[in-house]
């Protein structure tokens, strides 16, 4: 999970803060603003509020997976200058797509040399372990593994005759019992399109072949590319009109985005057949591999589950239901903005702002603020060249839609999330970078209802800070939150003078002598206690700001990139030494003095 960056505009217990004017006659008096508020030390007016966010890693239900298949990344495209001139975007609705990347198997996982046995059509599969890009190859239950081992011993003891018998059984499609690997004969039968069986084989049963699924997926891919909405919904069951309507809306939304490549790719796992020639309904995993031009360095994966049905042998295969796929075990772009209601997309040179169609008119100002926020961030950046030329920002119509973007986690005070996405291809390495990012903002927050430009800008600068450095993050653990949240808040606070603006909760703690002088831990930043979380975000920001002021912005940016690439404790210490010339203890001590001077006065 990623971490929250609280919003005091929705609750007084939020961690990072709303601007509140301090009394002009007593600028040094203890602040009386609510916990989490940000206050100026002069009466010059309001300043941006710090709001909630989810830092740099996908919000998902992660489960343990093998090290060689876990959270991998792919190399970014050629770097560009920090603020490059933008080329004209593809026309809205245009999906101009070249040949594209290799086909993606939703069930493929790199590095699996276990020789695991897939299920045959005759037996329901044992629940498969989940890998980062779909189920791992089938592994038989322990008792079945023991039976197989005993059979191998019997086969060895049988000598040449037993081996000949084994080969004979393979030729006719059975290896001692029906729960082992499908033979060539049975596989060929499974691949018979339409579910029919060859003459002379066992009695016909209704089947779903891999070619059937590929046909459905390929027709949708080609229809999306060509702009043929009728072709896109051609495989939908006529008895499911609501699904057809939803898929037409999905098609219209997808056509608003400029894609470099798109592809629907179904699982290649064997589908269990029916017991007879009657109806057959099964769920299959389907990946929508897509690359948004200028945003993603290569395709990322959005997973769906299709329920497909065949009425009888030879009947057409139809889609009866489509839902979002599981996010367990790896990054999943679902739900994407296009999975929700009717959209409008407002394009700016660096931003694709997606909003509900009903909000299109007023969202033009939001898009302008987002464009300005990114330009300000890029002007501050002095580190390695930033590869993405554009960023996708989705402002949801309501809080419920925003919760779905957090995979159903209703985190208190969260108003923004940046999800970094790994590449879709199954050939991955843990040292490879992310392929893209998606920013989602809670459109139900009052900053959008009141069209509060200062708060919107502060929120967007924070989230864009995460998105800018997402490409440097590798597999495995992400950077500590004092680095990721500190950097994002550092960008959002760039225009605020620490002699004029302060964080009241932090000032209260420092003046009361309760500041520990230690860098915030992840538990501090994510603390359920609002005050602890509030001050931890602020101290994290002051860490990066201190480094930039004392050692130079370029050193601070290089430090952040180095930690994103390798967040191990030893690597962080080495990066800190490179940036400041100090060990962690000395740096921490010097930083604590800076905090007391800036916050406590």
């Amino acid at each position: 999970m990623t971490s929250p960056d609280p919003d005091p505009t929705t609750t007084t217990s939020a961690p990072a803060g709303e601007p509140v004017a301090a009394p002009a006659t007593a600028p040094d008096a203890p602040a009386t603003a609510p916990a989490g508020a940000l206050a100026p030390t002069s009466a010059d007016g309001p300043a941006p509020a710090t709001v909630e966010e989810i830092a740099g890693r996908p919000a998902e239900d992660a489960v343990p997976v093998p090290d060689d298949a876990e959270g991998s990344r792919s190399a970014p495209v050629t770097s560009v200058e920090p603020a490059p001139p933008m080329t004209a975007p593809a026309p809205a609705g245009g999906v101009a797509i070249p040949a594209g990347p290799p086909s993606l198997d939703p069930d493929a996982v790199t590095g699996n040399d276990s020789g695991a046995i897939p299920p045959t059509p005759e037996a329901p599969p044992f629940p498969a372990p989940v890998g980062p890009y779909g189920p791992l190859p089938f592994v038989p239950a322990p008792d079945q593994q023991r039976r197989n081992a005993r059979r191998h011993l019997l086969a060895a003891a049988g000598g040449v005759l037993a081996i000949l018998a084994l080969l004979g059984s393979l030729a006719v499609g059975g290896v001692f019992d029906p729960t082992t690997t499908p033979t060539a004969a049975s596989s060929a039968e499974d691949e018979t399109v339409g579910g029919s069986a060859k003459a002379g084989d066992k009695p016909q049963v209704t089947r779903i072949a891999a070619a059937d699924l590929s046909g459905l997926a390929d027709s949708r891919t080609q229809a999306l590319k060509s702009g043929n909405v009728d072709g896109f919904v051609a495989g939908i069951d006529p008895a499911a009109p609501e699904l057809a309507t939803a898929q037409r809306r999905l098609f219209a939304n997808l056509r608003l985005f400029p894609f470099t490549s798109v592809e629907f790719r179904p699982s290649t796992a064997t589908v269990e057949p029916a017991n007879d020639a009657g109806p057959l309904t099964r769920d299959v995993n389907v990946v929508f591999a897509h690359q948004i031009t200028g945003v993603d360095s290569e395709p990322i994966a959005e997973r769906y589950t299709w329920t497909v049905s065949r009425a009888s042998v030879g009947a057409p295969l139809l889609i009866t239901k489509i839902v979002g796929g599981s996010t367990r075990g790896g990054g999943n772009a679902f739900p994407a903005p296009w999975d929700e209601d009717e959209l409008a997309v407002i394009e700016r040179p660096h931003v694709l702002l997606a909003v509900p169609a009903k909000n299109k008119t007023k969202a033009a100002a939001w898009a302008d603020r987002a464009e300005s926020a990114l330009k300000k961030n890029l002007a501050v950046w002095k580190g390695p060249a930033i590869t993405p030329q554009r960023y996708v920002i989705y402002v949801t119509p309501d809080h419920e839609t925003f919760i779905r973007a957090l995979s159903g986690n209703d985190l208190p005070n969260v108003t923004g999330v940046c999800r970094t996405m790994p590449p879709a291809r199954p050939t991955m390495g843990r040292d490879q970078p992310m392929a893209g990012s998606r920013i989602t903002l809670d459109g139900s927050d009052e900053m959008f209802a009141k069209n509060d430009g200062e708060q919107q800008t502060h929120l967007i600068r924070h989230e864009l800070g995460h998105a800018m450095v997402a490409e440097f993050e590798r597999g495995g653990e992400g950077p500590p939150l004092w680095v990721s949240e500190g950097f994002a808040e550092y960008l959002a606070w760039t225009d605020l003078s620490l002699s004029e603006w302060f964080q009241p909760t932090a000032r209260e703690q420092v003046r009361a002598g309760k500041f520990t002088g230690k860098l915030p831990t992840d538990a501090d930043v994510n603390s359920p206690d609002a005050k602890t979380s509030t001050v931890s975000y602020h101290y994290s920001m002051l860490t990066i700001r201190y480094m930039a002021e004392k050692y130079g912005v370029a050193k601070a940016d290089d430090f952040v990139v180095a930690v994103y690439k390798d967040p191990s404790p030893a690597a962080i210490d080495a990066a800190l030494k490179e940036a400041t010339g100090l060990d962690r203890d000395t740096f921490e001590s010097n930083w604590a003095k800076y905090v007391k001077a800036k916050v406590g006065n």
Side-chain angles (χ1 to χ4, degrees), residues 94-173:
V95 188
I97 302 165
S103 296
L104 170 69
D105 181 356
D107 292 335
V109 177
T110 302
N112 179 31
D113 298 320
S114 63
I117 303 174
T120 64
E122 289 79 5
F126 185 79
V130 178
Y133 293 89
L136 297 174
F138 174 75
V139 179
D143 59 338
Q144 181 181 325
Q145 293 175 337
R146 289 192 291 270
R147 290 198 303 272
N148 289 343
R150 289 197 296 270
R151 292 187 185 103
H152 295 160
L153 291 175
L154 291 174
V160 175
L161 291 179
I163 294 174
L164 293 176
L166 175 62
L167 294 175
S169 67
L170 284 171
V172 298

Side-chain angles (χ1 to χ4, degrees), residues 41 63 151-152 189 205 236 267 319 411 444 471 566 573 575:
T41 57
V63 296
R151 292 187 185 103
H152 295 160
E189 183 180 342
V205 297
I236 302 296
S267 167
I319 305 171
L411 302 179
S444 69
E471 64 178 305
D566 186 352
D573 288 345

Side-chain angles (χ1 to χ4, degrees), residues 287-339:
V287 160
F288 176 46
H290 59 280
Q291 179 180 6
I292 299 179
T293 304
V295 176
D296 306 320
S297 60
E298 62 175 290
I300 67 174
E302 181 175 18
R303 292 164 184 77
Y304 294 99
T305 297
W306 289 3
T307 300
V308 293
S309 181
R310 169 165 279 142
S312 61
V313 172
L317 185 65
L318 299 173
I319 305 171
T320 62
K321 183 179 180 181
I322 298 177
V323 297
S326 171
T327 60
R328 298 180 65 191
N332 183 7
F334 183 88
W338 46 72
D339 295 304

Side-chain angles (χ1 to χ4, degrees), residues 3-20 34-39 46-54 412-416 441 445-447 452-463 466 484-496 498 501-504 506 525 530 533-542 545:
S3 64
D5 169 21
D7 173 22
T9 65
T10 57
T11 172
T12 58
S13 62
E18 176 182 359
V20 177
L38 166 68
T50 304
V51 289
E52 263 307 89
E53 78 85 326
I54 287 204
N413 309 314
V414 175
T415 57
L441 309 178
D445 189 88
E446 65 178 9
M447 75 175 70
D452 188 326
E454 289 183 329
Q455 292 194 44
Q456 288 178 20
T457 299
H458 191 89
L459 169 62
I460 294 170
R461 288 195 70 173
H462 182 107
E463 300 304 335
H466 288 300
S484 61
E485 296 300 336
F487 173 72
E489 273 296 271
Y490 156 73
L491 290 178
W493 271 73
T494 298
D495 296 336
L496 300 179
L498 294 180
W501 301 94
F502 65 94
Q503 212 295 325
V525 177
S533 183
T534 294
V535 297
S536 296
Y537 267 86
H538 196 62
Y539 295 153
S540 297
M541 179 276 291
L542 291 171
R545 184 155 180 160

Side-chain angles (χ1 to χ4, degrees), residues 384-409:
I386 299 295
T387 297
Q389 301 172 18
R390 276 183 155 183
Y391 299 85
V392 173
I393 301 175
Y394 174 43
V395 182
T396 67
D398 48 50
H399 187 64
E400 290 71 23
T401 305
F402 179 72
I403 292 173
R404 286 196 290 273
L406 277 69
S407 299
N409 297 300

Side-chain angles (χ1 to χ4, degrees), residues 37-383:
L38 166 68
T41 57
S42 67
D44 293 337
T50 304
V51 289
E52 263 307 89
E53 78 85 326
I54 287 204
R57 297 188 287 281
E60 64 194 10
D61 271 350
V63 296
V65 294
D67 287 343
D68 58 351
E70 183 179 354
S72 46
R73 310 290 181 258
S74 62
V77 297
T78 305
S79 298
V80 297
E81 292 301 316
M86 294 297 103
T87 57
V95 188
I97 302 165
S103 296
L104 170 69
D105 181 356
D107 292 335
V109 177
T110 302
N112 179 31
D113 298 320
S114 63
I117 303 174
T120 64
E122 289 79 5
F126 185 79
V130 178
Y133 293 89
L136 297 174
F138 174 75
V139 179
D143 59 338
Q144 181 181 325
Q145 293 175 337
R146 289 192 291 270
R147 290 198 303 272
N148 289 343
R150 289 197 296 270
R151 292 187 185 103
H152 295 160
L153 291 175
L154 291 174
V160 175
L161 291 179
I163 294 174
L164 293 176
L166 175 62
L167 294 175
S169 67
L170 284 171
V172 298
V175 185
F176 297 112
D177 73 37
T179 60
T180 51
T181 309
T183 63
S186 63
S187 297
E189 183 180 342
D190 290 344
E191 291 301 314
T192 303
V193 178
S196 60
K198 296 185 296 182
D201 282 341
K202 55 187 176 182
Q204 291 187 358
V205 297
T206 309
R207 298 178 182 276
I208 297 174
D212 299 322
L213 298 173
S214 293
L216 277 178
D218 291 347
S219 65
R220 285 169 66 83
T221 298
Q222 295 307 316
L224 178 59
K225 290 180 178 180
S226 64
N228 179 7
V229 64
D230 291 333
F232 191 76
V233 300
I236 302 296
D237 187 349
E242 292 183 357
L243 175 60
T245 299
Q247 291 299 296
R248 287 180 179 273
R249 182 175 63 245
L250 171 64
F251 176 89
N253 287 342
L254 286 169
R255 293 286 297 177
L256 297 175
F257 290 83
F259 290 103
T260 300
S261 66
V262 291
E263 180 186 23
F264 289 94
R265 181 55 50 194
S267 167
T268 58
T270 301
V271 177
E272 179 192 359
N275 294 323
D276 51 32
L280 172 61
T281 299
R282 294 288 183 266
D283 290 338
V284 296
N285 297 322
V286 177
V287 160
F288 176 46
H290 59 280
Q291 179 180 6
I292 299 179
T293 304
V295 176
D296 306 320
S297 60
E298 62 175 290
I300 67 174
E302 181 175 18
R303 292 164 184 77
Y304 294 99
T305 297
W306 289 3
T307 300
V308 293
S309 181
R310 169 165 279 142
S312 61
V313 172
L317 185 65
L318 299 173
I319 305 171
T320 62
K321 183 179 180 181
I322 298 177
V323 297
S326 171
T327 60
R328 298 180 65 191
N332 183 7
F334 183 88
W338 46 72
D339 295 304
E340 303 294 350
D341 292 332
E342 181 183 358
L343 289 180
V345 174
I346 303 169
E347 299 189 33
R348 296 292 182 264
H350 296 84
V351 170
L352 292 171
L353 183 73
V355 298
K358 63 182 180 181
N359 292 338
K360 181 177 181 179
T361 301
K362 61 182 177 181
W366 304 348
D368 290 338
R369 288 171 191 140
E371 177 69 17
S372 175
L374 183 64
K375 289 180 178 179
K376 289 180 178 180
N377 281 8
L378 291 175
V380 175
W381 178 257
K382 304 300 180 184

